[in-house]
Amino acid sequence: MTKLTLISSAIFSVLCSQSALAATVTGKVMDDKNQPIKNASIHVHGKNQSVKSNDLGEFAIEIDANSQLHISKDNYVDSRIAVSESSNNLSVSLKPTSVETVVVYASALHKNSLEMISPVSVLSGDELRNKSKPTLGETLKGLPGVNASYFGPVSSSPIIRGLDGPRVKITQNGLDASDASRIGPDHATSSDSLAAEQIEVLRGPSTLLYGSGAIGGVVNVVDNRIPTDNIDELTGAAEYSHDTVSNSNTVAAKLETGNEGFNLHFDGTKRSGDDYQTPTFTIADDDGDVETENSVENTFIDSETLNFGTSYVGDHLTIGFSYGSIDTDYGIPGHEHHHDHEGETEEEHAEHEDEAAEEPVYAHLEQDRWQGLVSYALHNNWIETINLRVGYTDYSHSEIEDGEIGTTFKNKTTEARLNVEHKFADWHGMMGYHYSDSDYDAIGEEAFTPASVTTTNALYLLEEREFGDITIELGARVEDYKIESQIMAHEHSHDEVEIDHSDEETIGYNESFTNLSASAGAIWQYKPGHSIATSISHSERAPLSAELLSNGLHIATGTYELGLGYNIEDNEAHFEPENIKQETSTNLDLSFRRFSGDFGYTVNFFYNDIKNFYFQENTGLVYDEEDGLESAIGAHDDAVAVYQFTSKDAELYGIEFDAHYQVTPSAMVKVFGDSTRAKLKDDEGNLPRIPANKLGSELQYDLGDLQLTLTGTHYFDQNDVTAFETQTDGYTLFDAQANYQLGLGSVDAQLYINVDNITDELGFVHSSFIKDKAPLPGRNFRFGVRGYF
């Protein structure tokens, strides 16, 4: 007992060791012309303390141990300086940069966007607000390497380098968004860009911190719902905007205040809109007749979000809590029910058609989300911070048919992430534990995926070390992934007429996978403002329940879906989930960057070799409500194609770039683009629904209080298609923005008008399941006003 007490005391003394006396470090922040920089942020690395430089660039900040100061300012390259208690009268010089630098919260090691080894893009500030769209996918699709799935303007998820669905993790403040958008493209993401402080897009595998599913990348929506800095006064913002293309109105507001370390946050959004207008296009109805349309039916939206949070921020301890709710109704375009009209009179047929037109199918989305944060900054040389984030999400997506709930998808998720940031010798890093439990259920006639419980437990380690101008980064993650479900034992065959569910037998399915991930990378700052970064990573991913267990009609995509666990023999589907292999990805990234002077660029090359790539493949069969699975030859017109998840080796490679040139102090020109090639190995064809390549240019002009932007983006033809896909023609979109700053005393107000698709171009999105039924919106005028105080 004595030994145990001595050991405990020793460990406690090490963790809590600190210098007896605190010290104040003073200094001055200047630019490369030796002029003072006002409002630069000086932050003690690993602690919660931060101050701003005054009008003369001067600052004073307290430390109580050897520390590192992180000095940052918009449009300047960050600086990091080691200090001790004897440091005083520091002189810090920041070099100007041609691109905005922001700290990437998803990096875990407080890196800014220029220091990241993995390619990253960040939308924040006015740029985010100007580019914000109703969906996350549409907001981000202009970034190099990023596209959108596009199920109409109300449901559109990001696609990164040709990968989407479960391979792109969508998080909020580092925790999974926990909606059902990874299950089907008609399910909207629950992350709202209007309330975001910034949105971060990490390209390439980010599996070390965010789980085995993130082999394509991570989209992290950062908000301030749990304030992590002290708020000393009442601040707020409000915005109103109107879109003409859908007659939609959006109102958003935010308030924050605090006193003596206690902080409060509130934000809310209200959005409503009608069906959106399009350029004239033609579409074939169920009877084969061609109709002319100028809008996409059933694309309305009526949404409300409400969030509040509170926190206490001290020198060592930060603790906070937030609650958010979403209540949204939105139409689902292309959502048609197939009825057998054989034997009906013309009057009966017309009656059914009128009923379908009067009662469109729409979705009702509800979400309650709780998050908690506890962070403790230790003052010693080993452990810097201990950070715990927890979250619980109760998500429900109901599809309303004929005024009644037809199908409900539910997902209850509990998640916890414990990070310990440390420094051992010359290595700085993070070790952590990640827990997630997802309880998914689907009830109703379109419940094509059975209820399941998915649990993950993971340990990970991320370390970095500087060798002069080179920083290397190493990481590893081991994850235990378990899925449990009850499978209905019925089979679909050609002679199946009606299923008596009361006589069905259920099969208990339990399977565990161990996913291993590792990465190594380096960035070389070979001269000021220039760098080369490269990384290689290995990731393993187990199938989601939808990929593994699906067995049912998915009306939204107009297909019948079967999972990996089924085997089709003689037009009968048998559940035989043996020998399911994990999806294994090996990814290589190479980036060239310049961010100083009037000319800057980022060019990324990537290659991704994936074994056992999961994707949906057309089986050549169709499903009929009366006859079950049967050959497509001679089948009823109402029968839908049967797609089954399968796994084959694939490779994806390409380039993405973003270059800019400051022509004059008032004018900047940008050029951006991306190209992705995605195909199966062994000459087995192309992968389906891969986004078309794009090339764009942007001109920004500053006339004092008036800022003007003109953007043109060309989407090329997509001819690399599978056997059951159609090619998609290219199109060019021109967009314009004008923002005018108003001087209203203490209120920073801004009037703006955006004109999207100026030429009213007709464009079809190749990656959309309903591309022929839902083209992009036509010419849209968006005008609004926003103010800050």
Side-chain angles (χ1 to χ4, degrees), residues 213-225:
I215 70 170
V218 168
V219 176
N220 186 40
V221 180
V222 181
D223 55 52
N224 198 39
R225 290 168 185 167

Side-chain angles (χ1 to χ4, degrees), residues 52-335:
K52 299 285 188 180
S53 58
N54 62 18
D55 292 346
L56 300 177
E58 299 169 339
F59 69 89
I61 190 167
E62 290 189 356
I63 65 170
D64 54 11
N66 293 340
S67 306
Q68 182 187 78
L69 296 184
H70 180 198
I71 302 96
S72 61
K73 172 70 175 176
D74 291 346
N75 302 318
Y76 289 88
V77 180
D78 292 12
S79 178
R80 300 177 188 272
I81 298 177
V83 294
S84 66
E85 295 173 1
S86 60
S87 299
N88 214 346
N89 297 322
L90 298 174
S91 180
V92 182
S93 179
L94 299 183
K95 297 181 180 297
T97 176
S98 56
V99 295
E100 184 180 6
T101 62
V102 292
V103 174
V104 181
Y105 290 90
S107 70
L109 296 179
H110 317 289
K111 290 179 175 293
N112 66 44
S113 52
L114 304 181
E115 299 170 326
M116 292 284 292
I117 292 176
S118 299
V120 62
S121 295
V122 180
L123 285 180
S124 61
D126 286 339
E127 183 183 17
L128 171 59
R129 285 180 276 273
N130 291 335
K131 294 184 177 180
S132 178
K133 296 291 192 298
T135 63
L136 195 58
E138 290 300 290
T139 299
L140 301 175
K141 72 175 186 179
L143 297 176
V146 184
N147 288 275
S149 60
Y150 200 74
F151 208 89
V154 293
S155 179
S156 180
S157 295
I159 299 175
I160 301 179
R161 295 177 172 178
L163 299 175
D164 63 348
R167 299 179 183 90
V168 175
K169 182 78 74 174
I170 297 178
T171 63
Q172 183 181 359
N173 300 319
L175 296 179
D176 198 314
S178 302
D179 52 37
S181 62
R182 311 296 86 189
I183 301 297
D186 58 318
H187 295 185
T189 60
S190 60
S191 299
D192 192 341
S193 60
L194 285 175
E197 299 287 329
Q198 65 185 48
I199 302 178
E200 306 163 348
V201 180
L202 279 67
R203 302 175 185 84
S206 302
T207 59
L208 295 180
L209 295 178
Y210 296 99
S212 59
I215 70 170
V218 168
V219 176
N220 186 40
V221 180
V222 181
D223 55 52
N224 198 39
R225 290 168 185 167
I226 301 180
T228 54
D229 289 319
N230 280 320
I231 304 172
D232 298 324
E233 58 184 358
L234 177 66
T235 62
E239 179 176 4
Y240 166 78
S241 66
H242 177 78
D243 287 85
T244 61
V245 77
S246 59
N247 192 34
S248 64
N249 296 285
T250 302
V251 178
K254 180 177 73 172
L255 287 173
E256 292 183 337
T257 188
N259 183 44
E260 295 183 353
F262 291 94
N263 310 283
L264 292 173
H265 169 97
F266 164 83
D267 70 76
T269 305
K270 168 68 175 177
R271 181 192 297 120
S272 61
D274 302 327
D275 295 347
Y276 74 94
Q277 306 298 307
T278 69
T280 302
F281 70 103
T282 58
I283 186 173
D285 61 19
D286 291 337
D287 298 324
D289 299 329
V290 176
E291 299 179 355
T292 300
E293 301 287 351
N294 292 99
S295 66
V296 177
E297 295 182 359
N298 203 26
T299 54
F300 73 91
I301 187 170
D302 187 359
S303 176
E304 294 182 2
T305 66
L306 180 66
N307 303 279
F308 71 86
T310 182
S311 68
Y312 170 77
V313 179
D315 290 341
H316 298 264
L317 177 66
T318 297
I319 184 169
F321 165 82
S322 71
Y323 167 76
S325 69
I326 301 174
D327 193 324
T328 300
D329 290 330
Y330 66 91
I332 305 177
H335 197 298

